[in-house]
Amino acid sequence: MPEAFPRGYTESLEERVRLLEGEVRELKDLLDEKDEKIDVLSRIHSHSSQPLQLPSPRRGSTTLSHGSVSESKEELQQAKDDLFRVQQSPFLLDGENTDSYFMGTSSGRAFIDAFKRKVQESGRAPDIDTDIFFNSDRNGSASPRMIMARPVVWTAPPRLASDQMINIFFQEWAPLFPVLHRPTFLSLYGEYVASSEEMEDEASVAQLNLVFGIAALSSNSQTTRDIESFESQWHAALDSVMMENSLVTLQCLILAMIHCIQKADYTRLLNYKGLAVGLSYRLGLHQSQKRFALGTLTCETRKKVFWSLYTLDCFSAALLGLPKHLKEEDVHCEYPVDADDEYVTDRGFQPTLPGESTKLSSALALFRASRILSKVLEQNYPASTSHEISFRDLAALSDELDAWSNTLASHLRMQFVQDKPSTGTISSRSPLLSRKQVIVLAHGNGSFLQAYYPNRATARGTEHELLLLSQQE
């Protein structure tokens, strides 16, 4: 029979085992905490040019010096300082003829209100009416019921006036939004001029009057009665073809979006954008166009229509403070080939003069800028109630915008002489592209201003002053 150990000896062993178990649990908790810190630091340094390589305590390094612990604490503090939180406004806005509606932070309304509060704190009365910038009725947009109640008079404008409006559209709007194929549209316009009464195709009538209306709003050369006539005609024509699954209908919807943005008619803008995005998905414009057996002209037109819609979706989302409709992960469409409409046919591309810049080059530059704006909206202005933004991510977006600007062709760059725009910019696209760059920069760096300025209200006001300046026509 084995000899039994003394009772006191076994109790001391049991106590020692319990102490060891407690120490093991404490060490395990420390290791878990250290692993978590290393994961955080690894995620932070993954955005830098020199990723941080830290060994896990569970994978080789069993001891940590006092210096490494101090460095880890410093890195954690830097990671904490790199992030700041942004919250959406908890208020709904009142509309005159609508229910209360939401407008997110990218619209700039919160910046204007914060700037006004800061002016009030300084003892001055701010002479700023926020609704002037954001009120959708400021241009006298008629309600849908009023337009439907008006009798539609199908009439064509005088030939001299219509020729002028066609030139305005293709000089000012088509180079940035190549929705229409110029030779095809001019052929349609020739038929319309020859006999407008015999034109029965509603989509063609809608296209023509949308072009007239957009050009009339841009030039201010037409009377209010003329603009209302164009609007009533394209409204009636578009309503009759709105449910058709065709590229022509999509072209009309995109032109209607441009018209609504001009008139600050945001209610109809959202309606037309929703229909346009849904129809774009339906027609497969978001897919890679190389997958489809299409002629060159049809393929290139589809690309131009899609990227025009994508650009309008991004900028209207920023304008209204609402999420984009097109999902970035769904976009697989290629950019159109850098060739003007006159050199694109069903059989292929016609030869062009070597070294000559194209009108489409400005649209391609704008399309690429829209991709950057899309990232800015998704990262800096998500739909969540509150979110964190990283200075490191903001710097990356700013660098991407700088890279876009540096790669612009010379004829697309805004040149300054003694802090003033140089001559020769009257027919150039560079002022418009510079304006779009300011819009993207204002949205992308707005959070930088808010964090770096000790007075965040002033920073927000500064950001939106840039944005409003860039949108002035």
Side-chain angles (χ1 to χ4, degrees), residues 106-125:
S106 69
S107 68
R109 178 179 284 269
F111 302 150
I112 292 290
D113 292 337
F115 181 75
K116 288 168 62 177
R117 286 194 297 269
K118 180 57 185 174
V119 173
Q120 289 176 342
E121 292 173 1
S122 65
R124 293 177 294 174

Side-chain angles (χ1 to χ4, degrees), residues 213-259:
I214 292 171
L217 290 172
S218 301
S219 63
N220 295 323
S221 61
Q222 303 299 316
T223 64
T224 303
R225 181 176 297 180
D226 293 333
I227 295 176
E228 290 178 352
S229 175
F230 301 145
E231 189 171 358
S232 63
Q233 291 184 72
W234 72 254
H235 266 289
L238 181 57
D239 286 344
S240 63
V241 299
M242 192 180 298
M243 294 296 108
E244 294 183 4
N245 294 325
S246 67
L247 187 64
V248 176
T249 299
L250 181 56
Q251 290 172 312
C252 292
L253 289 170
I254 295 175
L255 292 173
M257 289 173 60
I258 296 175
H259 191 282

Side-chain angles (χ1 to χ4, degrees), residues 34 37-38 41 52-55 57 61-76:
K34 193 64 182 178
K37 292 178 180 179
I38 290 176
L41 293 177
L52 182 67
Q53 299 293 335
L54 290 177
S61 179
T62 57
T63 60
L64 293 172
S65 66
H66 178 72
S68 63
V69 173
S70 300
E71 291 177 1
S72 299
K73 291 182 178 180
E74 183 179 353
E75 294 289 348
L76 286 173

Side-chain angles (χ1 to χ4, degrees), residues 136 139-142 217 227 231 258-265:
S136 60
N139 286 332
S141 299
L217 290 172
I227 295 176
E231 189 171 358
I258 296 175
H259 191 282
C260 291
I261 291 176
Q262 284 183 285
K263 296 199 68 175
D265 189 352

Side-chain angles (χ1 to χ4, degrees), residues 129-343:
D129 185 1
T130 308
D131 290 334
I132 290 179
F133 301 109
F134 302 100
N135 186 6
S136 60
D137 295 328
R138 70 175 187 268
N139 286 332
S141 299
S143 66
R145 294 181 180 179
M146 292 177 60
I147 293 179
M148 293 178 62
R150 294 173 183 168
V152 180
V153 179
W154 303 98
T155 179
R159 176 63 185 269
L160 184 62
S162 62
D163 285 350
Q164 181 185 17
M165 288 183 288
I166 295 295
N167 289 331
I168 290 173
F169 178 82
F170 281 100
Q171 287 179 3
E172 297 185 5
W173 290 97
L176 292 176
F177 300 98
V179 182
L180 301 175
H181 182 246
R182 180 185 174 93
T184 303
F185 181 83
L186 291 182
S187 176
L188 173 65
Y189 175 62
E191 298 175 8
Y192 182 73
V193 170
S195 179
S196 60
E197 296 82 3
E198 296 181 2
M199 182 164 289
E200 298 180 354
D201 183 63
E202 299 290 351
S204 299
V205 174
Q207 278 191 5
L208 287 161
N209 282 279
L210 277 163
V211 169
F212 294 154
I214 292 171
L217 290 172
S218 301
S219 63
N220 295 323
S221 61
Q222 303 299 316
T223 64
T224 303
R225 181 176 297 180
D226 293 333
I227 295 176
E228 290 178 352
S229 175
F230 301 145
E231 189 171 358
S232 63
Q233 291 184 72
W234 72 254
H235 266 289
L238 181 57
D239 286 344
S240 63
V241 299
M242 192 180 298
M243 294 296 108
E244 294 183 4
N245 294 325
S246 67
L247 187 64
V248 176
T249 299
L250 181 56
Q251 290 172 312
C252 292
L253 289 170
I254 295 175
L255 292 173
M257 289 173 60
I258 296 175
H259 191 282
C260 291
I261 291 176
Q262 284 183 285
K263 296 199 68 175
D265 189 352
Y266 302 141
T267 301
R268 274 195 288 263
L269 168 62
L270 287 172
N271 291 334
Y272 290 138
K273 184 164 80 164
L275 291 170
V277 171
L279 181 55
S280 173
Y281 279 127
R282 176 74 169 174
L283 296 176
L285 267 62
H286 63 294
Q287 295 285 347
S288 172
Q289 300 304 299
K290 295 185 295 186
R291 300 173 58 244
F292 307 126
L294 300 171
T296 302
L297 177 58
T298 302
C299 182
E300 292 302 307
T301 301
R302 287 166 61 93
K303 294 177 185 177
K304 295 173 184 177
V305 169
F306 174 80
W307 285 108
S308 296
L309 174 61
Y310 179 95
T311 301
L312 288 170
D313 182 30
C314 290
F315 281 93
S316 61
L319 176 66
L320 300 177
L322 298 176
K324 289 170 56 224
H325 282 33
L326 287 165
K327 295 181 179 180
E328 199 65 31
E329 60 269 21
D330 295 336
V331 176
H332 304 285
C333 181
E334 303 86 0
Y335 289 125
V337 176
D338 189 9
D340 288 332
D341 291 343
E342 292 78 7
Y343 302 98

